[in-house]
């Protein structure tokens, strides 16, 4: 076709996996296009995917705003700051969140320009295999026909629905609607005590909603280190978040102004609850809608993920897939690492992602963050380990901050002292975990961290003290 635009690399999807892959490929000298269909309220392009538009970025904006509100209402007085007539301006809070999203959308478009990545606003579909590559048709505002020697699929994921309770984003909300409730609900129900449920539940509780979280599993945050999860459960419950574990959700009936959820509780008793709004956060499903996988024979697994090997290669030559649409944790930073590694592999380099050192963060207050293995995983694997913990209660900076909840926990190999996992619940856990990630990448021992000078007074001293505690020689506890 004469009007076909030719590229070395076409990236489908402009979320953290896709846009980063596009930039890295361009840095490596390839001609690169990135196609993304997300539109803003005015119909313009909104690259950045779930993370930027309805995930990481807007949720953190609201978490910050709601935390300010909670501090102003509950902790300023202790600091000697009296606030009279504190009120919530929810429209402004939501407007600010939208502005933060817009800045990030624009930032990505700027980065594309800077790196000479050609951006197409629309949906890319595999149209066929062309000589030495693939043909893709783009529909939407940036309609075009593209040919690519290499294709990187980074189409992300969508919220999983509960059968019989489709999202209307007004009453029954996914992560998208949960970020845009226009009036604080009196009673908010949340199904699924995972990352989204806890983060969004926290936001709306802080601004005044009565929040109940219904979780199917009998354990709270099963993937988190048990000691940390137990501490987090205690802290969240104390804050007023109601968490019911081991429930079995039955019928969900929507009315004009709310929803009735029938469920069986952990004791086997039938329950009926009324909520003004209901967030359903029970995981996400890979998004391959409209991709045309069948046209070229791109193989998916039985759960709908694109089949890839350890290097993100699909069953088709020169077609790669990264991020939420493939196996592994659905985390923006995992997608980014895969995107970079794939671009480097296309260039003949040896891109690598270390799945053992991908940090996890849950942005509640206090935050929960971890890297590596949990105590229960080590026990199950029969690995002999030593543990050391240090509470923020004994950290000077945490006392000055007025946030002494939680702890840092180190798990180290009993023989070699190599750090096997670090788990934090407490203030700024999301920032503190970086030190542990770096340490584990360098295969440090707990003694290495214990011997490194940490600034005083800082929260990071709790990390050093937890490392010292592995050898039972904490200095401040
Ligand atoms: P999730 O997998 O974190 O949690 C889902 C929860 O719902 C689980 O506890 C599960 O046991 C429960 N559940 C599943 N089916 C249920 C049912 N029928 N009834 C009651 N409970 C049920 O999924 P979530 O929170 O929806 O998040 C989706 C993805 O987005 C996750 O993979 C997460 O990693 C990612 N994400 C990451 C964030 C971060 O890194 N801070 C923030 C938000 C999302």
């Amino acid at each position: 076709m004469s009007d076909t635009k030719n590229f070395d690399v076409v990236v489908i999807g402009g979320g953290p996996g896709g846009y980063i892959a596009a930039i890295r490929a361009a840095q490596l000298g390839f001609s690169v296009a990135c196609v993304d269909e997300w539109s803003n309220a005015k119909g313009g392009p909104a690259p950045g995917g779930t993370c930027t538009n309805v995930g990481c970025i807007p949720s953190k904006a609201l978490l910050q705003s709601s935390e300010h509100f909670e501090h102003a209402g509950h902790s300023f007085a202790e600091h000697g700051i009296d606030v009279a007539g504190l009120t919530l301006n929810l429209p402004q809070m939501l407007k600010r969140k939208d502005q933060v999203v817009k800045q990030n959308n624009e930032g990505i478009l700027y980065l594309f320009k800077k790196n000479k990545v050609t951006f197409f606003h629309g949906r890319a579909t595999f149209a066929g295999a062309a000589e030495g590559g693939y043909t893709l048709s783009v529909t939407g505002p940036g309609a075009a026909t593209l040919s690519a020697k290499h294709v990187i699929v980074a189409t992300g994921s969508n919220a999983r629905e509960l059968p019989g309770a489709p999202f209307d984003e007004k009453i029954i909300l996914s992560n998208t609607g949960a970020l845009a409730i226009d009036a604080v609900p009196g009673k908010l129900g949340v199904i699924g005590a995972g990352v989204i449920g806890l983060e969004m539940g926290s936001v709306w509780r802080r601004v005044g909603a009565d929040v109940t979280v219904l979780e199917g599993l009998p354990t709270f945050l099963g993937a988190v280190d048990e000691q940390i999860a137990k501490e987090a459960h205690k802290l969240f419950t104390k804050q007023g978040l109601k968490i019911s574990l081991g429930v079995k959700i039955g019928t969900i009936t929507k009315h004009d102004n709310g929803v009735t959820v029938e469920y069986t509780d952990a004791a086997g008793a039938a329950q009926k609850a009324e909520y003004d709004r209901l967030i359903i956060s029970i995981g996400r499903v890979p998004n391959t809608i409209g991709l045309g996988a069948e046209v070229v024979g791109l193989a998916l697994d039985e759960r709908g993920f694109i089949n890839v090997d350890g290097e993100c290669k699909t069953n088709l030559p020169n077609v790669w897939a990264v991020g939420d649409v493939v196996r592994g944790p659905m985390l923006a930073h995992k997608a980014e690492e895969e995107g970079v590694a794939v671009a480097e592999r296309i260039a003949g380099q040896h891109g690598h992602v270390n799945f053992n050192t991908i940090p996890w963060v849950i942005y509640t207050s206090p935050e929960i963050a971890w890297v590596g293995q949990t105590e229960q995983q080590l026990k199950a694997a029969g690995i002999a380990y030593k543990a050391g913990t240090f509470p923020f209660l004994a950290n000077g900076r945490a006392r000055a901050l007025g946030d002494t909840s939680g702890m840092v926990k180190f798990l180290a190999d009993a023989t070699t002292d190599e750090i096997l996992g670090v788990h934090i619940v407490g203030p700024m856990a999301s920032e503190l975990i970086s030190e542990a990630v770096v340490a584990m990448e360098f295969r440090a021992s707990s003694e290495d961290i214990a011997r490194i000078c940490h600034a005083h007074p800082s929260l990071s001293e709790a990390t050093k003290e937890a490392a010292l505690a592995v050898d039972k020689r904490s200095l401040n506890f």
Side-chain angles (χ1 to χ4, degrees):
M1 249 184 286
S2 58
D3 58 351
T4 299
K5 297 180 172 68
N6 303 307
F7 295 93
D8 295 324
V9 180
V10 171
V11 183
I12 307 178
Y19 91 78
I20 289 292
I23 290 173
R24 184 71 189 120
Q27 283 177 349
L28 289 163
F30 295 112
S31 65
V32 182
C34 181
V35 189
D36 188 272
E37 66 176 338
W38 211 298
S39 299
N40 59 28
K42 291 183 181 150
T50 299
C51 163
T52 301
N53 291 295
V54 290
C56 318
I57 301 300
S59 64
K60 259 84 272 173
L62 287 186
L63 278 157
Q64 192 61 54
S65 299
S66 60
E67 193 166 344
H68 283 325
F69 182 70
E70 179 155 272
H71 282 173
H74 298 283
S75 24
F76 275 17
E78 189 195 324
H79 288 261
I81 305 166
D82 295 324
V83 183
L86 179 71
T87 54
L88 178 75
N89 182 345
L90 184 60
Q92 169 57 23
M93 197 179 271
L94 297 175
K95 192 170 142 202
R96 175 186 176 275
K97 179 249 326 176
D98 292 338
Q99 281 163 350
V100 173
V101 169
K102 190 163 167 267
Q103 284 163 3
N104 281 271
N105 295 142
E106 287 168 357
I108 294 166
L109 291 171
Y110 160 78
L111 289 171
F112 281 160
K113 273 212 181 88
K114 184 182 162 204
N115 289 282
K116 301 194 172 49
V117 172
T118 309
F119 176 70
F120 292 89
H121 184 204
R123 170 175 293 194
T125 306
F126 277 105
E131 206 176 310
Y134 298 87
T135 309
L136 298 154
S137 93
V138 179
T139 51
T145 302
L146 313 180
S147 91
K149 289 182 195 144
H150 290 265
V151 178
I152 304 175
V153 182
T155 44
S157 60
N158 295 314
R160 185 154 78 86
E161 287 190 339
L162 260 183
F167 298 121
D168 65 358
E169 305 299 6
K170 292 268 176 268
I171 304 280
I172 301 181
L173 315 166
S174 70
N175 55 300
T176 302
L179 289 160
I181 306 176
D182 56 6
V184 178
K187 291 188 107 194
L188 175 67
V190 178
I191 299 183
V195 187
I196 294 179
L198 292 174
E199 291 187 4
M200 295 320 299
S202 298
V203 164
W204 293 105
R205 183 201 57 75
R206 287 176 200 161
V207 295
D210 175 7
V211 181
T212 304
V213 186
L214 303 173
E215 165 61 42
L217 293 176
T219 42
F220 181 63
L221 288 176
V224 175
D225 184 89
E226 263 170 29
Q227 189 181 2
I228 298 290
K230 218 167 140 195
E231 179 73 10
H233 186 270
K234 196 176 81 190
L235 293 166
F236 297 155
T237 307
K238 203 168 142 206
Q239 288 168 1
L241 205 62
K242 296 172 189 149
I243 304 167
S244 291
L245 301 173
V247 308
K248 192 169 181 333
I249 303 294
T251 312
I252 297 174
T253 317
K254 199 174 75 168
H255 328 290
D256 287 349
N257 306 313
V259 63
T260 308
V261 179
E262 291 172 60
Y263 64 94
T264 312
D265 67 19
Q271 302 286 349
K272 200 177 207 181
E274 297 289 334
Y275 304 112
D276 300 306
R277 297 279 198 282
L278 179 69
I279 297 174
I280 299 182
S281 46
I282 55 166
R284 299 179 63 81
V285 291
N287 173 32
T288 52
I289 302 163
L291 181 63
E294 64 292 347
V295 176
V296 283
L298 180 64
L300 311 182
D301 71 15
E302 65 286 354
R303 292 184 301 154
F305 289 95
I306 295 177
N307 251 335
V308 288
D309 66 7
E311 297 202 318
C312 293
K313 281 186 186 135
T314 69
N315 65 312
L316 300 175
N318 300 337
V319 178
W320 311 73
V322 301
D324 285 10
V325 80
V326 304
R327 83 283 173 272
M330 288 185 170
L331 297 171
H333 43 282
K334 173 262 194 184
E336 290 181 29
E337 295 304 319
E338 286 182 332
V340 167
V342 163
E344 293 180 350
R345 284 172 198 138
I346 291 173
Q349 298 181 2
H350 300 282
H352 177 68
V353 181
N354 185 354
F355 281 89
N356 296 323
T357 53
I358 293 176
W360 281 82
V361 180
I362 308 179
Y363 292 85
T364 41
S365 178
E367 294 175 346
I368 303 169
W370 72 98
V371 59
Q373 289 174 276
T374 61
E375 202 165 339
Q376 62 267 28
Q377 282 174 327
L378 293 175
K379 275 186 190 146
I383 298 169
Y385 63 91
K386 298 176 286 181
T389 57
F390 187 82
F392 284 103
L393 198 64
N395 174 273
R397 183 72 195 275
R399 286 194 198 122
L401 277 175
D403 192 353
T404 53
S405 54
M407 69 180 93
V408 180
K409 173 173 179 174
F410 264 64
L411 296 169
D413 187 283
T415 314
T416 65
D417 194 36
E418 180 173 351
I419 302 167
L420 302 175
V422 176
H423 306 270
I424 308 174
V425 54
M428 303 305 275
S430 57
E431 301 294 335
L432 294 174
I433 200 65
S434 299
E435 178 180 3
V437 176
V438 173
M440 285 185 64
E441 270 294 333
F442 285 95
R443 301 197 59 178
S445 63
S446 72
E447 182 162 2
D448 287 328
I449 300 300
R451 286 190 179 278
I452 290 171
C453 179
H454 288 64
H456 176 77
S458 71
L459 296 171
S460 71
E461 287 173 291
T463 306
K464 177 186 170 113
E465 288 278 0
L468 280 164
V470 169
D471 203 26
K472 300 198 173 29
R473 54 191 177 102
S474 281
L475 297 165
N476 283 285
F477 188 62

